């Protein structure tokens, strides 16, 4: 099945090189233009102070052109002195003027250079520090979660996985919008600006070392291309994709997705359930909102539970995951629980129940 616009997107990806870069979370600092403006203002104050000091002791200086030093000569002398140019056409001749140069103007010259040169050095230092942070981030990033798309679906997905105990440092957001990445970094997530259908963009997100991948793009055809690229780069990661149209779900699974969520159908089913029973709709919404009220979690069977039936274990068991099958709690095929089984249970949300998502791939149909 060929999705609408798929050829156009493929041609655009081949013909245009998208600018992309990695942005790490950082503390808010003063705007660079404001910082430079303050430094230039301070440098101007130093220049004015130096010029008026020279002009106040004009009799102690000698100008080779006419012998006297006026206000313009004082500003000229201050400029060439603070900038260390020193043409030598105006020189201090009195002892007072020379002492003033030693103990006042020389320190002002040093301060002037620190102000101007310091701006450049700080920029270089900041760039070096940012590069060091980026290299360190890449070297330590392992088993992380890559989220493609920071829209409503992407943000909700991140909030859910973080509510289960995943650290923000283990989340990398990929989005072509610079504003979306700025919003992601403001929340504490690392971000990569670029087109996620390109392998070089996903490589910058270290996707080949990711543990799970959430694809929440705006278009279904884009989701297919991203899924194909992501599965090619990482064969073992768990890939979960959100699509708008249910008819595109089989194509996403053929492309390598472990699970496909149809956002429009899911919202419609929740609406229908709420119409039939508002209370049931509230409970269902509570179950899919991790971290508060009731949580739906997956956990392994412990030794004390092996050999029992689902009704005899702690928590409300909904399903049993055995091999590649998901069995209902009342399915006769479940029988007694095994140590290799995993349970999907409903529990009261507490800090103890916030377990990180499992790395095991979801069962395929």
């Amino acid at each position: 099945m060929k999705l609408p616009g798929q050829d156009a997107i493929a041609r655009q990806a081949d013909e245009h090189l998208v600018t992309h870069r990695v942005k790490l979370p950082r503390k808010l600092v003063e705007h660079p233009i404001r910082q430079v403006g303050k430094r230039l203002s301070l440098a101007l104050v130093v220049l004015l102070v130096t010029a008026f000091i020279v002009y106040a002791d004009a009799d102690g200086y000698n100008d080779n052109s006419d012998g006297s030093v006026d206000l313009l000569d004082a500003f000229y002398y201050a400029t060439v002195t603070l900038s260390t140019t020193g043409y030598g056409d105006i020189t201090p001749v009195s002892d007072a003027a020379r002492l003033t140069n030693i103990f006042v103007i020389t320190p002002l010259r040093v301060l002037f250079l620190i102000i101007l040169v310091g701006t450049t050095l700080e920029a270089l230092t900041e760039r070096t520090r940012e590069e060091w942070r980026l290299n360190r981030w890449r070297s330590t990033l392992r088993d992380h979660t890559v989220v493609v798309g920071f829209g409503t679906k992407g943000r909700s997905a991140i909030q859910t996985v973080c509510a289960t105990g995943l650290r923000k440092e283990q989340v990398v957001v990929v989005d072509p919008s610079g504003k979306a990445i700025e919003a992601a970094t403001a929340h504490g997530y690392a971000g990569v600006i670029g087109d996620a259908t390109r392998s070089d963009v996903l490589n910058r997100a270290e996707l080949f070392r990711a543990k799970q991948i959430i694809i929440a793009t705006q278009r279904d055809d884009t989701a297919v291309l991203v899924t194909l690229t992501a599965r090619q780069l990482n064969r073992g990661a768990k890939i979960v994709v959100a699509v708008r149209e249910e008819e595109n779900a089989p194509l996403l699974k053929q492309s390598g997705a472990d699970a496909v969520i149809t956002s429009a159908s899911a919202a419609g089913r929740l609406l229908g359930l709420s119409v039939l029973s508002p209370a049931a709709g509230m409970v269902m919404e509570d179950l899919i909102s991790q971290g508060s009220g009731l949580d739906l979690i997956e956990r392994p069977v412990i030794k004390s539970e092996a050999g029992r039936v689902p009704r005899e274990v702690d928590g409300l068991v909904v399903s049993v995951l055995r091999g590649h099958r998901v069995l209902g709690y009342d399915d006769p095929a479940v029988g007694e629980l095994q140590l290799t089984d995993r349970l999907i249970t409903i529990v009261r949300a507490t800090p103890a129940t916030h377990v990180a998502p499992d790395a095991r791939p979801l069962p395929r149909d």
Side-chain angles (χ1 to χ4, degrees), residues 199-214:
S199 59
D200 54 344
V201 174
L202 295 180
N203 281 329
R204 285 180 175 267
E206 305 294 315
L207 182 135
F208 55 92
R209 294 188 297 197
K211 178 180 179 180
Q212 48 204 7
I213 303 165
I214 300 173

Side-chain angles (χ1 to χ4, degrees), residues 102-154:
I102 294 173
F103 295 106
V104 179
I105 295 180
T106 297
L108 288 175
R109 182 190 303 120
V110 174
L111 178 60
F112 185 84
L113 293 175
I114 289 175
I115 293 172
L116 294 185
V117 179
T119 304
T120 303
L121 291 178
E122 183 175 349
L124 292 175
T125 303
E126 179 66 22
R127 184 180 302 174
T128 302
R129 183 163 56 245
E130 188 68 17
E131 189 67 24
W132 179 83
R133 287 184 64 208
L134 186 58
N135 291 334
R136 183 175 180 273
W137 170 77
R138 284 174 173 162
S139 63
T140 58
L141 196 62
R142 296 289 189 282
D143 295 334
H144 56 290
T145 299
V146 175
V147 180
V148 179
F150 198 66
T152 302
K153 293 180 290 186

